[in-house]
Amino acid sequence: MPSLRSRAWLALVLAGMLTAACGGGPDGAGGGGQQKPSAVPDNTALLSAIKPDPQLAGQLPAAVAQAKTLHLASNIQSAPNNFYAADGKTPIGYEVDLAKAVGAKLGVSVTYQDLAFGSLITSLQSGRVDLTMAAMNDTKERQKQIDFVDYFSSGITIMIRKGNPDGITGPDTLCGKNVAVVQGTSHQKFATAQSAKCVQAGKPAITVTATDSDNQNQNQLRTGRVAAILNDLPSAVYISRTAGDGSFFEVVPGQPIEGGPYGMGFAKNNAKLRDAVKQALQSLVADGTYGKILQSWGVEQGAVKEAAVNGGS
């Protein structure tokens, strides 16, 4: 689970208002003559083009194959991973599109249950659901309880003002800069460690400003009181695309810092479903559908090349 999950939701509220103001929506429509990529892409055509693979479908557990349904649990509150559309009822996000794509490849539909994050693992163990997908980090500790199929690599990302006026291109260029983080997060720990590296290299230390929320950090970045914000990759990308209709912030290109995989969760006694989903996801990676989904949401930096089982550390 990303360290800023609850706080990212606060940023979503702000971002959602800004998106609504600029006319964005699930159908990609917007006001004015100039078309811009929607923060909520419409991947209906892409998903509809996926053909079921009979061989993969034949590897599903009998109960799933008979019901032709995968019961998926998530904690639907973290854009752009998973959140509700404007109707307040329809789950959307790149995770939702990936789950639909996997279902289509296996010839089954996907239903969602919105559960507390802390109950997702127990919902698998009790057999209440077939799988989970909720930006949950695949870690060795969690692997003791459930299995994972990794579908995304997240980590710390540097968010800067649009146009990069401070010339920040990576962690080494943060030396001597003011950087905002949320108090008590892994981002604060990284900034402190990076500051020590700057000093060891004979460069100025980083001035680390720790606040209580992403919103405070965004205000400081917009006004130039800090030069950068450290955030989780998906949240940073979504905020950059939506805040001020994409005119306020941008994300420094490159792989996530201290990255780790998000994994779909499966009960330990459900290896047959785990393996079928793994192969379906790998097929989507190979044919390019996976990459197109991530690209449409602007999070292609987190793409994985292999749908590994229990690949986290």
Side-chain angles (χ1 to χ4, degrees):
M1 178 181 180
S3 58
L4 294 180
R5 188 173 189 84
S6 60
R7 298 177 180 91
W9 178 242
L10 295 176
L12 168 60
V13 174
L14 173 64
M17 292 188 292
L18 291 165
T19 303
C22 70
D27 61 356
Q34 182 180 9
Q35 293 187 351
K36 298 181 180 180
S38 173
V40 181
D42 182 1
N43 284 322
T44 303
L46 178 62
L47 296 173
S48 298
I50 300 172
K51 303 299 182 184
D53 185 323
Q55 184 176 358
L56 292 180
Q59 298 178 35
L60 288 169
V64 175
Q66 184 174 0
K68 292 189 177 300
T69 303
L70 280 174
H71 299 287
L72 186 152
S74 188
N75 181 228
I76 307 174
Q77 63 165 345
S78 179
N81 309 311
N82 52 72
F83 58 115
Y84 285 112
D87 62 8
K89 299 183 295 184
T90 305
I92 58 176
Y94 76 85
E95 289 186 346
V96 178
D97 284 348
L98 286 178
K100 289 179 179 178
V102 167
K105 182 65 70 173
L106 293 172
V108 299
S109 61
V110 179
T111 65
Y112 265 78
Q113 292 188 44
D114 189 359
L115 303 178
F117 190 87
S119 67
L120 292 176
I121 288 178
T122 55
S123 73
L124 287 172
Q125 294 171 327
S126 67
R128 179 179 176 184
V129 298
D130 298 313
L131 74 160
T132 63
M133 195 175 188
M136 181 182 287
N137 287 124
D138 171 4
T139 65
K140 292 298 183 185
E141 190 64 28
R142 287 187 175 129
Q143 289 169 22
K144 297 176 183 177
Q145 300 176 283
I146 61 175
D147 285 336
F148 290 97
V149 171
D150 299 336
Y151 60 90
F152 190 81
S153 180
S154 186
I156 300 171
T157 302
I158 304 172
M159 192 163 72
I160 53 179
R161 282 184 287 169
K162 196 74 172 182
N164 195 10
D166 296 293
I168 295 172
T169 56
D172 292 341
T173 56
L174 295 176
C175 300
K177 303 290 198 304
N178 294 332
V179 176
V181 297
V182 173
Q183 182 75 36
T185 63
S186 59
H187 308 152
Q188 183 180 16
K189 182 178 178 182
F190 171 79
T192 301
Q194 184 63 33
S195 181
K197 289 182 180 179
C198 291
V199 173
Q200 290 171 4
K203 300 177 182 179
I206 297 171
T207 299
V208 181
T209 300
T211 71
D212 292 328
S213 75
D214 279 345
N215 285 345
Q216 293 180 53
N217 293 345
Q218 290 171 45
N219 289 335
Q220 292 197 77
L221 183 57
R222 281 191 62 195
T223 57
R225 282 179 286 174
V226 300
I229 296 173
L230 299 184
N231 207 329
D232 288 335
L233 169 63
S235 297
V237 169
Y238 188 77
I239 293 167
S240 296
R241 296 184 80 191
T242 56
D245 195 16
S247 65
F248 293 162
F249 312 120
E250 62 184 85
V251 173
V252 173
Q255 293 300 308
I257 303 164
E258 297 184 350
Y262 290 166
M264 298 183 227
F266 300 85
K268 285 287 187 182
N269 62 358
N270 206 356
K272 192 170 185 180
L273 177 61
R274 178 201 69 196
D275 292 345
V277 168
K278 174 189 181 299
Q279 292 180 58
L281 180 59
Q282 191 62 52
S283 176
L284 294 166
V285 171
D287 68 21
T289 303
Y290 166 85
K292 290 177 182 177
I293 290 173
L294 294 192
Q295 188 173 27
S296 72
W297 286 94
V299 294
E300 60 270 22
Q301 284 174 261
V304 297
K305 295 181 180 179
E306 180 185 1
V309 172
N310 296 331
S313 58

